[in-house]
Amino acid sequence: MSVENGIGASVRRKEDQRFITGNGHYLDDINRVGQAYGYFLRSPYAFAKIKNIDLSAAKAAPGVVDIFTGADMVADGIGGLICGWGITSKDGSPHNAPPHNSLAVDAVRHVGDQVAFVIAESLQQAKDAAELIEVDYEVLTPVTNISKALDSGAPQIHDEAPGNLCYDWELGDKAAVDAAFANAAHVSKIDVVNNRLSPNPMEPRAALGEYDAGSGELTLHTTSQNPHVARLIMSAFLGIAPENKLRVIAPDVGGGFGSKIFVYAEETTTIWAARKINRPVKWTADRSEAFLTDAHGRDHVTHAELATDSDGKILAFRVSTQANMGAYLSTFASAVPTYLYGTLLSGQYKIPSIYCEVQAGFTNTTPVDAYRGAGRPEATYVVERMMDTAARDLKMDPTEFRLKNFIQPDAYPYETPVIMTYDSGDYPLAMNMAKDMIDYNGFAARKAQSEANGKIRGIGVAAYIEACGIAPSAAVGSLGAGVGLWESAEVRFNPTGSVTVFTGSHSHGQGHETTFAQIISDKLGVPIESVEVVHGDTSKVPFGMGTYGSRSLAVGGSAIVKAIDKIVEKSKKIAAHLMEASVEDIEHEHGVFSVAGTDKKLTMGEIAFAAYVPHNYPADLEPGMAENAFYDPLNFTFPAGTHIAEVEIDPATGVVDIVDWAAADDFGNIINPMIVEGQVHGGVAQGIGQALLEGVVYDDESGQLLTGSYMDYCMPRADDLPSFRIATTNTPCPSNPLGVKGCGEAGAIAAPAALMNAIVNALGKDIDMPATPEKVWRAINSN
Amino acid sequence: MTTVNMTVNGKKVSADVAPNTLLVQFIRENLRLTGTHVGCDTSQCGACTVHVDGDSVKSCTMLAVQADGAEVTTIEGLAKNGELHPMQAAFKENHGLQCGFCTPGMIMSAVDLVKRNPNPSEETIRTELEGNICRCTGYHNIVKSVKAAAENMGG
């Protein structure tokens, strides 16, 4: 029996009605009586000492309520921003995490660093007053490039980080890798740069702080992917207010892609200032501020080598990476180039030994942290560029080389040399499916046709794997995480049979209000329109670790299933009592409870009503029908698949035209295929953006951000992208009750490698991202 | 301060505004119609697109006083008598939105696009929507939505 709008149905989204009619409530849509407006004075320099700040003229400006500097926050005992993941270097020392004040105290370390917070009756007045603040800077020489920052003699950004080093980390068996290389028939080498990106969710970050002098409660409305984590950090480390007096609300959030995970200076300053002035304060970033201060992504420089035998089998893999952390260590920055990167370097391949070392360092740039995929796109890019290079060196077809080295479908659980245990998968199946979809074998004929038309055609493959469903608490704890990464849920029946589901996951475009409601509908037989999913408010939801790392369904959805199981267990007792049967004889399917072998049955709605009006009720049972559950995953999940890109390049202009895209992804079981397809489309688009269009650029000498607006940073537009052909395979995840793996990041992980392999295939030479027309044209016209 | 008068979503409105008030500020702050969004500072993203006298306009590029006497339609005025405009319905049916932030501007642009191109090709849709940035959907389902809406609108 299947249920209407249940698991597996492409249910149209419940949340869409408010968004398509203009009735969403994004942060800047919220206003409070008596609200003042905040504006940040930001550093115009990449690196400077602050010798003096003179606020006198600004404080006297019209409409100014107050102006705060770093000294005011320090005097109030407000702590600095923290990094929640400790990395240990090769020599056993902890990573260097220099102080990171919300408002600068004695120095600024990137363009856009916060210097003062001006609060006025109107935003315009706040901006005008900020112009009157006189800051006496001693300008220092900045460094923005990670390789230069790690060179001896580079400007020293923090006293606490000698040589600008955050950590020098390693993973894997160096001796085994060295031995394998010494005996290898072939060694292939690559040098790749993973370009720095700006996440650019369309809703800029914003914060609205409120203080209730009566209760002493602070309420922060903020653009967050994880409001409970924000509350925890602001309470425990910054000391803004105890958790019981701090409410954090993340309402409709217009995209995140990782950038809204982190606890930022603007949000902490806004909520602190609201209490200082005892008035609501609102701050909304403009796009320029978003480019300057939203944590960036990627920015790796990598050298990699692959050892193979005479038969084309991989023997060992060696990777050395420099990772740019920016000016300060953001909330989860340290984990991205280590445990979200090095652990994925086995890709889909059986590689006997792997060794990876990562040097992370500070520069005078915006902090870098997780951006869609977070470490896994960087790993996939290295692995898949490497595989193509090795195949080329060995004169093998790149798909044949991969198929020869894939972990086989009967090998699970498969332990990699980089501490992951893959639980399920069928990599050859997905690759062969993608090859069929794009008619891989017909490529030579299409290439000949392109050549006849004066064009250059290329095809590129990426077989990716990611570790999602983040994450088993004990595992991540042993690797340095400061938190557990479980999720919580409450399923609450109302007496009239409707259901309210509280989840610690947060939706900012993923469609949880629909997907999670489908689970309830399917398992408890409640019509989907009678299910309300509540998220994003610390005063409503028990607790939550939030949404990132494609974890919401695998972890948050599993917590909901656990709560449903408790509801069913209790309902069986009530049903047994009402139908005068023993509990063991009660059968349950999709919200109908029946007595085995009879036609007696009760619906979930009838039982819920009985639980709230317990006139005829088991004596030993509590009334009510609401259950809480916390779910801690047993393992990561391992979505995987193959994407194939086909391009045609015009040698006259260097413009890359994506003529076809085929994706075969294994996400395990799927609740809503329509939403999953949409996630893949969006991920691939961001990956194509990285490969062809996007890149954060700093001026080397001044450290100024040159790509600070949509005039300069090339976002993918509709006419830059093709339509996509996507399909799925399914090996259910064995470690969670839904059998799901997660789909949010796959596209962004697979696409850059697939597209760049296609371009390299067309050009016959290596090229770095973004493959702009100029770069491609130069590559064609150079020797 | 300058007095502006205009008709917004069929209602006559009037207010005294500073002369440098943008149309989008007037719509969001004076009229509290917050469906029209601001996503950038450089008139690139199109989240603020509305109709002024029937044509799509980025309301961050226009002063409120320039719309004096005009008929303005925002996303809130698109549905009639509780019934979604075919473009709104098509976005929902075809999963043409995810986070929803760019959606009001995207829908307003798309309505104008179909008015001028009743039977648009995929290429026309992609070219015409160049001024509206979406970070979530990869545009695949937006293109599909606009095509479906054009068919339903009798193109």
Side-chain angles (χ1 to χ4, degrees), chain A residues 12-13 20 26 287-288 716, chain B residues 39 41 88 93 98-99 139:
Chain A
R12 300 307 184 263
R13 299 200 320 170
I20 57 178
Y26 300 94
R287 185 57 59 184
S288 302
Chain B
D41 337 316
Q88 292 171 307
E93 179 60 26
Q98 290 181 26
C99 84
Y139 304 99

Side-chain angles (χ1 to χ4, degrees), chain A residues 12-13 20 26 28-29 198-199 202 286-288 371 678 681-682 686 694 711 716-718 721 723-724, chain B residues 28 32 34-35 37 39 41 44 75 88 93 95 97-101 122 126 130 135-140:
Chain A
R12 300 307 184 263
R13 299 200 320 170
I20 57 178
Y26 300 94
D28 195 49
D29 303 340
S198 178
M202 292 316 296
D286 56 31
R287 185 57 59 184
S288 302
Y371 166 60
H681 296 156
Q686 287 180 342
E694 299 177 44
M711 311 282 275
R717 266 80 165 178
L721 299 173
S723 286
F724 310 109
Chain B
R28 287 183 57 82
R32 294 281 185 233
T34 55
H37 298 147
D41 337 316
Q44 299 281 304
I75 189 71
Q88 292 171 307
E93 179 60 26
H95 192 29
L97 64 148
Q98 290 181 26
C99 84
F101 193 80
E122 173 170 346
R126 287 185 179 275
E130 195 266 349
R135 192 55 151 172
C136 295
T137 63
Y139 304 99
H140 181 110

Side-chain angles (χ1 to χ4, degrees), chain A residues 9-29:
Chain A
S10 284
V11 178
R12 300 307 184 263
R13 299 200 320 170
K14 287 163 68 75
E15 45 272 82
D16 283 358
Q17 184 69 21
R18 67 180 186 271
F19 295 142
I20 57 178
T21 55
N23 289 304
H25 291 289
Y26 300 94
L27 210 129
D28 195 49
D29 303 340

